[in-house]
Amino acid sequence: MIARKIIEDEIRAQQIIIAQLKREVFGIDKTVKSRYIKDFYSEFTRFRRVCTIEQIIDEAAGRDILYFGDYHPLDASQEFVLRLMSGLAERGRKVVLALEMLYIQQQEFLDLWMKGRIDEEEFLEAIDYRSEWGFRWESYRRIFEHAKDPFVPIFGIDTEHRDHLRLIRKRDRIMAKRIRNIRRFFPDSLVLVVIGESHLASNHLPFEVRKVCQDRYRDIIVVQNIDDLYWKLLRKGRETVEAVEIDRNRYCVFTASPILKYQSYRQIIDYWFGGEDVSETIQMLREMVSNILFILLGEEGELSITMRDGWKVGLEEAFPEVLVRKTYNAFSSYLRLRQVRPSDILMAIVHLRKCGIRYMHGINAFLVLKFDPICAAQETVRFVVHALRDDVVMQRRMKRTKSDLFYMAVFEEALVCFGSKIINYARDCLKTDPLLVTIDARGVVRSKVSGFSLAETRSMVRLLKYHFTLDRRKRKRVRTTRTLERIYRMGVTKRSYIIDTLGFTLGEAIYTAFHDGIVTHEKIGSLFRERFEEPGKARLLYHEWVDMVKPFRGDWAKR
């Protein structure tokens, strides 16, 4: 009963945020109210069973046409195209790409660019990319680069004018003929059609392709991040599911939460109307902070934060500075000028290399090398942690032991993982953890962490496993061992990897226990506000939480 209430409260909070985002987005984009769009959403309201992405790719490998519903503003959508291409290639299937983003009449320029006869800028200018498509080129460029080696043929399939919805059925008919012709030229290849999701209702593009193709073929449709399906899974406690089967030929994969999906749409509209600017990054970071606070705290009133001069200010006034630079050296120079400790500078650069963005509470600033919404969500949670502890400018300097500092950092990463999953369930902290990905199912280190030798990686993993072993033991009191002391005193970079992994495994477990009603809102709120002012409290509290969520910590902590 408690778990159900927690989930319903979370859903209600997310839906309030999404409703506001939709008002902002669809107040500009009126097409959402059309019959064509409604046809699509009406067909994806329930699912038959849960499945995996690998099962979908297995099924797709035996088909002739794979329709993928591209959500254009979302980077994770184009990333999934790469996963499909790689997965099909691994299964020995030849692929031809058919892209909505290019007009049929632009094929000549595409061929010239792919052959190296014109450069990228000439290609983009020739197809008038900004005006005719307009979504972030950096995200789509990856698809073309991936197709170059080994070579994958690419064809544009759309026709003007795509900005008039009344012509959309005519566009479907023209695209269907183009797909038919591609199949004739490449009869042994799978045609991967990357197209806006609304074209994939049963009476839209797939219907038109069936009409014009005379031969027998098998198709499959993959869409993504359908809101109704996400809420159904969340209510069942299955928010970590990566895919579902709608029916025999249709699937839905989950690559981002509804909040991130609509934020990406709103961000691209801002980009169209105002041009790319640092202010867009600031606005999205502000929204993410507001969203995580609303989901965690509800409407408890304005957050009060103490600044260096002792004044209490609201969140708006205390919002971090956003610093955008193009190189790591530029950040290092800036942080040295701000008299940031060398060890903190090194830690910041390590995290910038991993994620492209980092919040530093000592100077109350977001460092932005590359803006990725998933990583940005993670770092806004980091700011929220320090805002709720009221230490965004480190006014509470205390002498702490190496052990206290270590477990405080572990808790910070645990809360960052937990909070980022609250606003984006698709965030799997463990699957991307640099240390964990080096370990195979048998617990053997098969690869190395970037920047370290295989021997150094194995040494870090041995220490990590040692810590996991201690975590599994039942204890009456916490005892410090020589090996633990060695972990606490490791160099900054190596120690950060062990801290991240311990934090991520704990954060994932807390998130699961929270949804199961084992961990309450009150406990989460208390942990976010915990300042660890008593000597030894960080380590004691770590073991309390590990014991509390031990059944949810998963296989990673047992390898």
Side-chain angles (χ1 to χ4, degrees):
M1 196 67 178
I2 295 174
R4 181 176 293 277
K5 184 180 185 304
I6 288 172
I7 291 172
E8 288 300 330
D9 287 346
E10 183 182 333
I11 289 173
R12 189 158 46 249
Q14 291 195 41
Q15 287 178 332
I16 289 171
I17 295 167
I18 289 166
Q20 176 60 33
L21 284 168
K22 282 185 172 180
R23 282 193 293 272
E24 295 177 15
V25 168
F26 301 130
I28 297 172
D29 185 355
K30 304 294 185 183
T31 62
V32 71
K33 297 181 180 179
S34 74
R35 178 59 183 272
Y36 189 89
I37 304 297
K38 289 179 178 177
D39 282 350
F40 170 76
Y41 284 113
S42 68
E43 294 187 9
F44 295 90
T45 59
R46 53 179 58 89
F47 62 91
R48 178 187 292 176
R49 66 181 180 91
V50 168
C51 63
T52 67
I53 289 171
E54 291 302 309
Q55 287 172 330
I56 294 175
I57 299 176
D58 284 341
E59 187 67 27
R63 305 295 179 97
D64 302 297
I65 299 176
L66 166 55
Y67 299 100
F68 175 66
D70 181 32
Y71 196 80
H72 310 317
L74 188 66
D75 288 350
S77 179
Q78 291 83 58
E79 185 71 35
F80 194 78
V81 175
L82 303 183
R83 182 167 180 180
L84 287 173
M85 293 171 68
S86 297
L88 290 166
E90 288 168 3
R91 289 158 175 80
R93 194 68 204 272
K94 294 180 180 178
V95 173
V96 178
L97 278 176
L99 305 182
E100 178 195 18
M101 64 175 289
L102 292 168
Y103 292 138
I104 296 169
Q105 57 268 35
Q106 294 171 338
Q107 189 68 41
E108 176 187 356
F109 303 115
L110 172 61
D111 293 342
L112 289 172
W113 177 52
M114 293 297 283
K115 292 175 182 176
R117 295 180 182 174
I118 60 175
D119 63 28
E120 183 179 294
E121 287 303 316
E122 289 174 312
F123 167 65
L124 295 177
E125 184 176 345
I127 66 173
D128 194 11
Y129 182 85
R130 175 70 185 268
S131 299
E132 293 295 343
W133 190 244
F135 299 99
R136 297 193 188 280
W137 169 242
E138 292 76 15
S139 192
Y140 281 91
R141 179 202 283 127
R142 297 174 296 176
I143 298 173
F144 294 94
E145 290 177 344
H146 188 85
K148 287 181 178 180
D149 186 24
F151 178 70
V152 173
I154 304 178
F155 294 91
I157 60 172
D158 205 358
T159 187
E160 300 180 277
H161 297 277
R162 62 163 63 104
D163 55 335
H164 293 298
L165 191 63
R166 61 186 177 83
L167 300 175
I168 197 165
R169 294 188 186 276
K170 180 180 179 182
R171 287 170 54 209
D172 280 346
R173 291 193 290 272
I174 293 172
M175 286 192 284
K177 292 177 182 176
R178 179 71 161 174
I179 291 168
R180 175 197 62 192
N181 292 339
I182 292 170
R183 290 198 65 244
R184 286 176 177 173
F185 277 102
F186 298 92
D188 298 325
S189 297
L190 179 147
V191 182
L192 173 51
V193 181
V194 180
I195 191 165
E197 59 183 19
S198 61
H199 292 272
L200 299 182
S202 57
N203 62 338
H204 294 173
L205 179 62
F207 171 75
E208 297 296 341
V209 173
R210 282 192 294 272
K211 276 205 317 186
V212 300
C213 287
Q214 303 300 315
D215 60 330
R216 297 172 65 90
Y217 68 89
R218 299 178 68 212
D219 62 6
I220 184 172
I221 295 172
V222 179
V223 298
Q224 55 179 326
N225 306 321
I226 302 297
D227 295 8
D228 285 349
L229 301 182
Y230 171 69
W231 305 131
K232 281 183 170 62
L233 287 167
L234 191 55
R235 286 190 171 98
K236 292 175 180 289
R238 305 294 301 275
E239 69 282 352
T240 57
V241 164
E242 59 182 13
V244 295
E245 181 185 32
I246 308 297
D247 52 36
R248 187 167 56 88
N249 294 314
R250 298 190 294 182
Y251 297 83
C252 178
V253 298
F254 299 96
T255 60
S257 68
I259 290 177
L260 278 190
K261 183 174 78 169
Y262 293 112
Q263 276 183 330
S264 70
Y265 201 147
R266 213 287 309 280
Q267 187 185 32
I268 202 67
I269 289 176
D270 289 345
Y271 172 62
W272 289 338
F273 279 81
E276 192 161 16
D277 193 88
V278 175
S279 61
E280 293 177 28
T281 301
I282 295 173
Q283 178 61 23
M284 194 163 184
L285 290 169
R286 285 183 182 277
E287 287 180 359
M288 287 179 171
V289 168
S290 177
N291 293 345
I292 187 62
L293 281 170
F294 183 77
I295 292 170
L296 285 175
L297 306 179
E299 300 176 1
E300 291 189 1
E302 186 176 346
L303 190 65
S304 182
I305 297 173
T306 307
M307 303 309 288
R308 290 187 191 279
D309 54 11
W311 286 98
K312 294 276 188 180
V313 300
L315 183 66
E316 188 71 22
E317 296 169 86
F319 193 82
E321 183 181 5
V322 178
L323 305 169
V324 180
R325 301 288 189 274
K326 294 185 181 298
T327 66
Y328 301 114
N329 286 337
F331 279 119
S332 295
S333 299
Y334 174 82
L335 294 174
R336 283 195 297 271
L337 287 173
R338 292 290 300 270
Q339 298 184 327
V340 175
R341 292 182 304 179
S343 60
D344 290 338
I345 294 175
L346 178 58
M347 184 72 78
I349 299 303
V350 168
H351 281 274
L352 282 171
R353 291 186 187 279
K354 292 178 187 176
C355 214
I357 180 170
R358 177 71 172 179
Y359 171 70
M360 295 193 68
H361 74 284
I363 59 172
N364 195 29
F366 287 109
L367 313 183
V368 183
L369 184 74
K370 179 186 70 174
F371 188 84
D372 176 277
I374 293 175
C375 290
Q378 173 180 304
E379 293 307 305
T380 56
V381 176
R382 196 180 304 279
F383 166 64
V384 167
V385 170
H386 290 284
L388 289 173
R389 291 177 182 171
D390 197 13
D391 67 352
V392 296
V393 289
M394 292 181 66
Q395 71 274 17
R396 293 184 179 84
R397 289 186 177 272
M398 298 175 60
K399 189 173 181 179
R400 290 189 167 99
T401 66
K402 293 281 187 182
S403 169
D404 280 336
L405 292 171
F406 182 85
Y407 290 107
M408 284 175 63
V410 170
F411 269 119
E412 183 171 318
E413 297 309 320
L415 292 174
V416 164
C417 176
F418 172 85
S420 63
K421 286 182 73 66
I422 285 288
I423 54 177
N424 178 31
Y425 72 96
R427 170 67 171 160
D428 190 329
C429 303
L430 305 185
K431 282 188 177 179
T432 57
D433 180 80
L435 267 185
L436 292 182
V437 298
T438 68
I439 309 170
D440 67 14
R442 297 171 56 196
V444 179
V445 177
R446 297 295 186 187
S447 58
K448 60 185 181 179
V449 172
S450 177
F452 295 97
S453 67
L454 189 59
E456 288 174 316
T457 301
R458 285 174 173 161
S459 175
M460 286 190 287
V461 170
R462 277 196 298 272
L463 293 173
L464 175 67
K465 287 183 175 182
Y466 175 82
H467 204 293
F468 280 149
T469 300
L470 293 184
D471 288 350
R472 292 196 297 272
R473 290 179 183 171
K474 293 183 179 179
R475 63 185 74 75
K476 292 184 178 179
R477 63 186 183 88
V478 179
R479 189 168 58 86
T480 300
T481 66
R482 288 183 180 180
T483 306
L484 280 177
E485 286 288 349
R486 181 183 167 194
I487 293 173
Y488 303 153
R489 297 179 183 279
M490 290 176 74
V492 171
T493 306
K494 290 182 180 179
R495 189 170 70 244
S496 75
Y497 281 97
I498 292 180
I499 285 170
D500 286 356
T501 307
L502 291 174
F504 291 166
T505 53
L506 180 58
E508 290 275 356
I510 292 173
Y511 177 79
T512 306
F514 175 69
H515 271 195
D516 279 15
I518 305 301
V519 175
T520 64
H521 247 115
E522 290 72 25
K523 285 182 179 177
I524 292 294
S526 175
L527 191 55
F528 266 85
R529 290 185 172 91
E530 177 61 59
R531 294 172 180 165
F532 306 102
E533 292 177 335
E534 300 170 27
K537 186 171 183 180
R539 186 175 174 190
L540 287 169
L541 203 58
Y542 171 80
H543 290 300
E544 284 180 21
W545 276 87
V546 165
D547 289 342
M548 189 190 314
V549 301
K550 191 175 292 183
F552 306 98
R553 211 165 182 201
D555 294 335
W556 287 108
K558 300 174 185 176
R559 291 186 183 182

